[in-house]
Amino acid sequence: MPAALTSTTTSRRQFLTLLGISAAAVSCGTATAEGGGSGPQVTSLKYQGSVGAVSLPELAADLGFLGNVTLDWVGNTISGPQDIQSAATGQTHFGSAFNGAVIKLAASKAPIRAVISSYGSDQHSYGGYYVLEDSPIRSARDLIGKKVGMNTLGAHYQALLDIYLSRGGLSKADAGKVEPLVVPPVNTEQSLRQKQIEVGVLTGVLRDKALATGGIRPLFTDVGLLGPFSAGTYIMTERFIKQNPDTVRTFTTGVAKAIEWSRTTPREEVIARMTQIVKKRGRNEDTATLQYWHSYGVAETGGRIADASFQLWLDWLGERGEVKPGQLRAADLYTNEFNGFGKG
């Protein structure tokens, strides 16, 4: 098997180990980025970015929606789980990840709270599960014994695969015969065309380029399966929220304004603004992929979070035995208290 394809068991063990380390760090009081007591509130927020991309907080800052709150870039994240672990352990002030990963971190006793949605899937931005044009795979049952490549295990795309299999009528035993594998997104199209995997998850520019080349077709898409939905959130520690309520309110409301600005502004203008942001920060990044941006995919107005944004993944994780029944309630994982968009 090629080195790019990692086994489900190994990846899951590594992911859970990272969660354990994160929880241990939190319990030991590691909080280098936290504000202090009753003193002045923190107004410079440490965060991680992504190469060649513009996050909602970065867009909000450039548009002037963050007021006196500034952003302090400390490096680039390697994944959503890593990003929220950094926030939970105080290395940064906020992070974004798939809501299932947020649930896992909360279940490991990390004192975190989601404050606003960060990304999702809609008709413009979505994840698709693709097969070769001449593939015999047409249904969930056809996936038994097949390999499905995705960017990481135990997160968004494995959850959607499990839901697809369940809705397709597969028993747990049959679903267990479908093999999800980690394949770096940049290698997914090649792995699919070389038949190292039978199904590959493609998103964004990588999806668009693969479709333009031809020879592949969608088996299903996440938005087709669930309809438009918000899939991830920005989280902060409960301690930081308590000590810096005005900063959290400014940040959350500013991000909400950025969501709506990106939704109501012509796409070409949004892309032009993002391109300027990337060039101004001077990190020697390629801006070519920004031309393929379509939306952030956040479903709700102003990124306000609903119980449904977490309940679906709570149920999924409960079925997998990764969260105990009744251990967490959706309403306890987030707050809309600091999102002032549309209020008053």
Side-chain angles (χ1 to χ4, degrees):
M1 184 180 296
L5 307 183
T6 307
S7 71
T8 301
T9 302
T10 301
S11 294
R12 183 171 179 272
R13 185 183 300 116
Q14 291 172 341
F15 182 77
L16 294 177
T17 298
L18 281 173
L19 283 180
I21 293 171
S22 176
V26 172
S27 66
C28 291
T30 304
T32 58
E34 298 288 5
S38 59
Q41 294 188 31
V42 173
T43 56
S44 178
L45 302 181
K46 297 181 185 297
Y47 80 103
Q48 296 182 109
S50 297
V51 177
V54 177
S55 67
L56 280 164
E58 290 171 326
L59 180 61
D62 192 71
L63 291 168
F65 293 159
L66 297 187
N68 69 327
V69 174
T70 59
L71 302 179
D72 179 13
W73 176 73
V74 298
N76 291 318
T77 183
I78 58 172
S79 70
Q82 184 273 334
D83 199 28
I84 60 174
Q85 288 160 15
S86 294
T89 56
Q91 299 170 62
T92 57
H93 289 108
F94 64 86
S96 167
F98 164 59
N99 285 335
V102 173
I103 292 170
K104 286 184 180 182
L105 195 55
S108 71
K109 307 300 182 182
I112 58 172
R113 191 70 62 94
V115 295
I116 189 168
S117 291
S118 57
Y119 78 92
S121 292
D122 60 17
Q123 70 272 27
H124 304 296
S125 298
Y126 57 88
Y129 295 68
Y130 291 87
V131 298
L132 295 178
E133 190 69 50
D134 59 357
S135 170
I137 298 174
R138 298 282 176 177
S139 69
R141 188 158 296 280
D142 294 333
L143 289 176
I144 296 175
K146 303 299 190 295
K147 298 180 178 66
V148 183
M150 58 191 65
N151 65 334
T152 188
L153 300 184
H156 182 126
Y157 292 113
Q158 187 173 3
L160 269 295
L161 174 63
D162 286 352
I163 292 170
Y164 175 74
L165 297 175
S166 176
R167 293 186 179 182
L170 268 68
S171 64
K172 286 187 177 181
D174 284 340
K177 298 174 184 176
V178 180
E179 186 177 4
L181 297 170
V182 172
V183 181
V186 295
N187 300 128
T188 300
E189 180 186 355
Q190 180 182 9
S191 296
L192 179 62
R193 294 188 188 280
Q194 293 182 348
K195 299 184 179 181
Q196 296 170 341
I197 55 177
E198 285 83 8
V199 185
V201 176
L202 294 168
T203 64
V205 59
L206 297 175
R207 177 197 63 225
D208 292 349
K209 286 183 175 180
L211 288 173
T213 300
I216 65 171
R217 60 177 171 82
L219 176 63
F220 71 97
T221 64
D222 56 5
V223 69
L225 186 66
L226 299 179
F229 66 100
S230 292
T233 47
Y234 285 107
I235 66 97
M236 293 177 165
T237 65
E238 293 180 349
R239 177 185 173 191
F240 184 83
I241 293 171
K242 182 178 181 180
Q243 294 183 340
N244 303 275
D246 295 335
T247 295
V248 176
R249 185 171 291 106
T250 298
F251 169 84
T252 305
T253 303
V255 170
K257 291 178 179 178
I259 291 171
E260 294 309 312
W261 183 88
S262 72
R263 203 194 306 271
T264 58
T265 302
R267 176 172 172 267
E268 294 75 16
E269 186 177 334
V270 177
I271 292 173
R273 188 75 180 231
M274 289 179 168
T275 302
Q276 291 176 3
I277 293 171
V278 171
K279 289 181 176 179
K280 282 191 299 185
R281 64 195 188 195
R283 300 176 197 161
N284 195 30
E285 300 165 273
D286 185 0
T287 61
T289 57
L290 291 174
Q291 304 307 311
Y292 293 88
W293 181 90
H294 293 285
S295 78
Y296 286 103
V298 175
E300 298 82 10
T301 300
R304 298 183 73 82
I305 307 169
D307 279 5
S309 297
F310 283 99
Q311 192 59 55
L312 178 67
W313 316 119
L314 275 171
D315 294 342
W316 173 67
L317 290 168
E319 291 174 359
R320 288 166 58 89
E322 296 187 44
V323 174
K324 297 177 182 178
Q327 180 182 358
L328 297 170
R329 295 191 315 139
D332 295 332
L333 295 166
Y334 70 92
T335 176
N336 287 314
E337 177 185 353
F338 300 94
N339 190 339
F341 185 85
K343 289 185 177 180

